[in-house]
């Protein structure tokens, strides 16, 4: 079934339900764990045992990824003995999508029984103690993207009108990640700030982001986290620190360098995710 132009007469809910019904017929099982892969972080998809690969273009109403480093596939399979669904490539506000469109795929899987989200990204380091290639556990976030995916009509069977974000990123998942990383992978921890993009930060903007409490900056993740919490999912967020810039000694930020540094950190990210899935108590998945 090929994806045609969205019918403007369909409501957002109807589009979600059409995509859910399509995937329900395709999925061999319904994974409780969803993983969203960021820029240059394809290792998880390559490592897993695949039972189903569906291009986004074949799923009704799914957006299309326009970023070259983001493959557009939904993959269902196993990693570390656990059934998972992986979004190989994500969508961004700077591509022209609304935050509701960005989070459309995750909303669909939340209605198919997903209970846990592992979300990764490549980010710019703002904390000067960080180094390119570091992994950062996201402890909290600041949202500077000027749109919220929950804006508009709320469907109570999807989640509450005013979801609580006091613990957007699960403490127990962060503790588990630190435990499996101990002695194997060095983990930083900090606050991620999401900006609209696509232009990269000026020295003055970098200084401002540091002043408001951010340790890393990127152009993704937060819309998906908001929808995941609205849907009751537990979340682990991971950033690869692709570069670090001191606003007082600023250097050009090149996308090729960001992708290259993210790819260098892939082995660490893959090890951490595999070990976390292996150690994950199954009763946490409901």
């Amino acid at each position: 079934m090929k994806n045609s132009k969205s019918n403007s007469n369909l409501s957002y809910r109807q589009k979600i339900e059409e995509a859910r019904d399509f995937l329900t017929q395709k999925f061999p099982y319904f994974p409780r764990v969803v993983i969203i892969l960021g820029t240059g972080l394809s290792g998880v998809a390559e490592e897993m045992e695949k039972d189903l690969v569906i291009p986004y273009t074949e799923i009704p109403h799914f957006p299309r990824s326009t970023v070259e480093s983001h493959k557009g596939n939904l993959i269902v399979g196993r990693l570390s003995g656990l059934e998972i669904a992986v979004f190989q490539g994500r969508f961004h506000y700077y591509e022209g999508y609304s935050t509701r469109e960005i989070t459309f795929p995750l909303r669909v899987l939340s209605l198919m029984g997903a209970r846990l989200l592992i979300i990764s990204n490549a980010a710019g380091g703002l904390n000067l103690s960080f180094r390119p290639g570091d992994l950062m556990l996201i402890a909290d976030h600041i949202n500077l993207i000027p749109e919220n995916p929950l804006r508009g009509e709320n469907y109570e069977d999807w989640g509450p009108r005013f979801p609580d974000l006091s613990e957007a990123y699960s403490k127990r998942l962060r503790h588990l990640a630190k435990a499996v990383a101990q002695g194997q992978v060095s983990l930083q921890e900090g606050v991620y700030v999401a900006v609209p993009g696509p232009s990269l930060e000026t020295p003055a903007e970098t200084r401002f982001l540091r002043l408001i409490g951010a340790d890393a900056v990127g152009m993704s993740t937060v819309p998906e986290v908001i929808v995941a919490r609205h849907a009751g999912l537990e979340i682990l967020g991971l950033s690869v620190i692709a570069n670090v810039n001191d606003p007082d000694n600023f250097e050009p930020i090149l996308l090729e360098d960001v992708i290259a540094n993210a790819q260098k950190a892939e082995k660490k990210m893959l090890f951490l995710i595999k070990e976390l899935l292996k150690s994950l108590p199954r009763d946490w998945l409901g």
Side-chain angles (χ1 to χ4, degrees):
M1 179 176 180
K2 294 290 180 184
N3 208 358
S4 58
K5 288 185 178 179
S6 297
N7 186 335
S8 59
N9 294 324
L10 291 178
S11 69
Y12 184 71
R13 184 184 182 103
Q14 287 172 316
K15 291 175 183 177
I16 291 282
E17 289 174 347
E18 281 194 5
R20 180 201 61 194
D21 293 345
F22 172 83
L23 291 176
T24 296
Q25 295 174 15
K26 299 285 185 181
F27 274 27
Y29 42 79
F30 298 99
R32 297 292 195 181
V33 178
V34 176
I35 301 177
I36 298 177
L37 301 176
T39 300
L41 302 172
S42 61
V44 170
E46 292 167 4
E47 187 88 0
M48 65 190 286
E49 299 173 28
K50 301 175 185 66
D51 293 317
L52 180 69
V53 179
I54 308 179
Y56 294 160
T57 52
E58 295 186 6
I59 306 171
H61 313 298
F62 258 48
R64 311 286 203 281
S65 182
T66 66
V67 181
E68 188 177 339
S69 60
H70 286 257
K71 296 179 182 178
N73 294 312
L74 172 57
I75 306 172
V76 178
R78 294 173 177 83
L79 187 65
S80 297
L82 194 64
E83 295 171 350
I84 62 173
V86 171
F87 287 116
Q88 191 181 28
R90 59 146 56 92
F91 314 101
H92 305 82
Y93 186 74
Y94 64 73
E95 293 176 80
Y97 291 119
S98 70
T99 51
R100 272 198 161 192
E101 290 172 314
I102 290 167
T103 57
F104 185 99
L106 182 59
R107 178 64 77 184
V108 172
L109 261 63
S110 76
L111 296 176
M112 294 174 68
R115 302 307 307 146
L116 190 151
L117 171 66
I118 299 174
I119 188 163
S120 70
N121 59 59
L126 301 170
N127 187 322
L128 296 184
S129 70
F130 291 177
R131 293 291 175 267
D134 281 355
L135 296 186
M136 185 189 86
L137 278 174
I138 304 176
D140 204 348
H141 72 232
I142 300 168
N143 186 20
L144 297 183
I145 295 175
E147 185 181 86
N148 191 299
L150 304 183
R151 180 174 177 266
E153 184 177 3
N154 185 65
Y155 303 110
E156 288 295 328
D157 55 329
W158 288 8
R161 170 80 280 187
F162 301 105
D164 174 43
L165 293 185
S166 60
E167 191 185 320
Y169 302 87
S170 166
K171 287 181 182 176
R172 66 178 182 175
L173 285 177
R174 297 202 321 265
H175 290 154
L176 182 60
K178 291 174 189 175
V180 300
Q182 194 168 21
Q184 302 292 327
V185 175
S186 176
L187 278 180
Q188 305 284 4
E189 191 168 19
V191 175
Y192 176 87
V193 60
V195 296
S199 55
L200 298 167
E201 302 75 42
T202 68
E205 289 167 341
T206 300
R207 189 176 292 109
F208 167 73
L209 296 175
R210 288 179 62 194
L211 284 171
I212 63 172
D215 295 291
V217 56
M219 302 172 190
S220 67
T221 301
V222 170
E224 295 102 313
V225 167
I226 290 171
V227 163
R229 287 304 302 137
H230 181 255
L233 275 66
E234 197 166 359
I235 300 160
L236 180 75
L238 294 164
S239 293
V240 170
I241 304 302
N243 65 286
V244 180
N245 251 333
D246 180 349
D248 298 318
N249 298 283
F250 212 71
E251 296 180 1
I253 304 170
L254 303 176
L255 181 60
E256 309 87 76
D257 294 340
V258 170
I259 294 173
N261 284 328
Q263 289 173 338
K264 286 178 186 175
E266 259 198 324
K267 286 185 179 178
K268 293 189 286 186
M269 178 76 82
L270 179 59
F271 171 84
L272 183 63
I273 291 176
K274 285 173 67 175
E275 292 302 309
L276 186 133
L277 293 178
K278 195 182 298 181
S279 305
L280 186 69
R282 297 317 190 238
D283 61 354
W284 289 13
L285 301 177

